[in-house]
Amino acid sequence: MLRKQRPIGHEDRLTLVEHLDELRTRIVIAVFAFVVALGLCFWQNHQLLKIINDPLPKGTKPITLSPTEPFTTTLTVSAYAALLIALPVILYQIYAFVLPAFSPTEKKVALPLLLMVPVLLVAGAVFAYFVVVPAALTFLLNFNDHQFNTQIRARDYYSFVLLTLVAAGIVFQVPVGVLGLTRLGILTPQKLKHNRRYAYLGCAVVAALLPGVDPVSMLIEMVPLVVLYELSILLSVAFGRSSAEGADRLASAEGS
């Protein structure tokens, strides 16, 4: 039987058994949220598939090549959608388990970064769905179309779309990583500006490694990477320096 979770403060000292019990409870809550979301998504799977099929040319339906593929593909799509729906609950359980280990000062630095993660993840997925995926499909489906009878297999198409959305969501975490390194004092706005050309080259490499294999989607994916890098510089100027100075003041106060 799961015990009711209570907020744990930084000063609380728990035994190993209590830590494991808390971890088990939070894992069960996260899994329960995912299972509920999965049931809801599978119930409304026709709406999910309609949303994912919308970027395809009008009248095009993905094909299946085995008796089990419609079910397994639908279940996979529902699972990805359920993970996205349950993400706030899952992240809350992770944050609630990890944050008590931070001191109040560290928590002021970590909490804003953690809150940015789901927002940027959703922003990246939305950008990929409305911009990257349609452009990539337009290029790929019309490339040498007079030489090929192109058929779209459901499993491959949904994998391509979902991987593109996930990859874009991860890539949009660049400001979180850069701001975190800046607040820790590993990076400075001056270093970020000085190494801008290398960062742009890195953006091009990352864009080339993303699921979209065509040059059109590569260029489209590179644009937000560059914008996110420049946004990271602005955020590091606005927040990194003040945080570093605050940490220095705290350290000098503790030393005295």
Side-chain angles (χ1 to χ4, degrees):
M1 183 176 179
L2 298 178
R3 64 181 180 85
K4 185 178 180 181
Q5 287 299 109
R6 66 176 181 84
I8 297 175
H10 179 67
E11 299 79 10
D12 293 341
R13 294 294 179 263
L14 303 182
T15 65
L16 177 60
V17 174
E18 288 174 328
H19 275 298
L20 292 177
D21 185 49
E22 183 196 4
L23 178 61
R24 182 196 64 173
T25 302
R26 296 199 181 281
I27 290 175
V28 170
I29 294 173
V31 171
F32 179 75
F34 172 75
V35 171
V36 172
L38 178 60
L40 176 64
C41 292
F42 195 77
W43 174 48
Q44 294 293 326
N45 67 81
H46 55 289
Q47 293 293 340
L48 291 175
L49 296 177
K50 181 179 182 299
I51 291 172
I52 299 180
N53 289 340
D54 274 349
L56 289 171
K58 189 174 182 180
T60 302
K61 286 186 177 181
I63 63 173
T64 56
L65 302 179
S66 72
T68 60
E69 193 170 345
F71 174 78
T72 57
T73 302
T74 300
L75 184 61
T76 301
V77 172
S78 300
Y80 274 97
L83 184 61
L84 182 62
I85 293 174
L87 190 62
V89 177
I90 295 172
L91 288 177
Y92 173 78
Q93 297 304 320
I94 295 174
Y95 296 168
F97 182 76
V98 173
L99 282 179
F102 292 84
S103 68
T105 303
E106 292 170 336
K107 191 179 295 186
K108 289 181 180 179
V109 175
L111 188 58
L113 297 179
L114 295 175
L115 293 177
M116 288 174 63
V117 170
V119 175
L120 291 174
L121 182 67
V122 172
V126 169
F127 174 81
Y129 177 79
F130 286 104
V131 180
V132 178
V133 172
L137 289 176
T138 300
F139 176 84
L140 294 172
L141 295 180
N142 290 285
F143 184 80
N144 273 353
D145 57 342
H146 56 288
Q147 299 291 340
F148 300 97
N149 179 18
T150 304
Q151 300 291 321
I152 301 175
R153 185 176 181 179
R155 184 178 66 185
D156 296 334
Y157 170 69
Y158 295 140
S159 296
F160 168 75
V161 173
L162 293 173
L163 284 176
T164 301
L165 299 184
V166 171
I170 294 173
V171 164
F172 268 56
Q173 304 303 316
V174 169
V176 175
V178 173
L179 186 56
L181 293 174
T182 302
R183 289 194 164 191
L184 291 173
I186 298 174
L187 291 177
T188 64
Q190 291 72 26
K191 286 183 180 179
L192 294 173
K193 294 176 182 177
H194 180 72
N195 295 319
R196 183 180 274 120
R197 67 182 69 180
Y198 302 109
Y200 287 178
L201 177 61
C203 291
V205 173
V206 171
L209 295 176
L210 291 176
V213 296
D214 59 286
V216 174
S217 61
M218 175 184 168
L219 291 174
I220 293 176
E221 289 164 343
M222 183 179 172
V223 171
L225 285 174
V226 173
V227 173
L228 289 169
Y229 183 79
E230 295 296 334
L231 176 62
S232 301
I233 295 178
L234 295 177
L235 290 175
S236 65
V237 172
F239 300 106
R241 185 176 303 172
S242 60
S243 298
E245 290 173 352
D248 291 341
R249 286 196 299 267
L250 180 63
S252 62
E254 291 177 349
S256 60

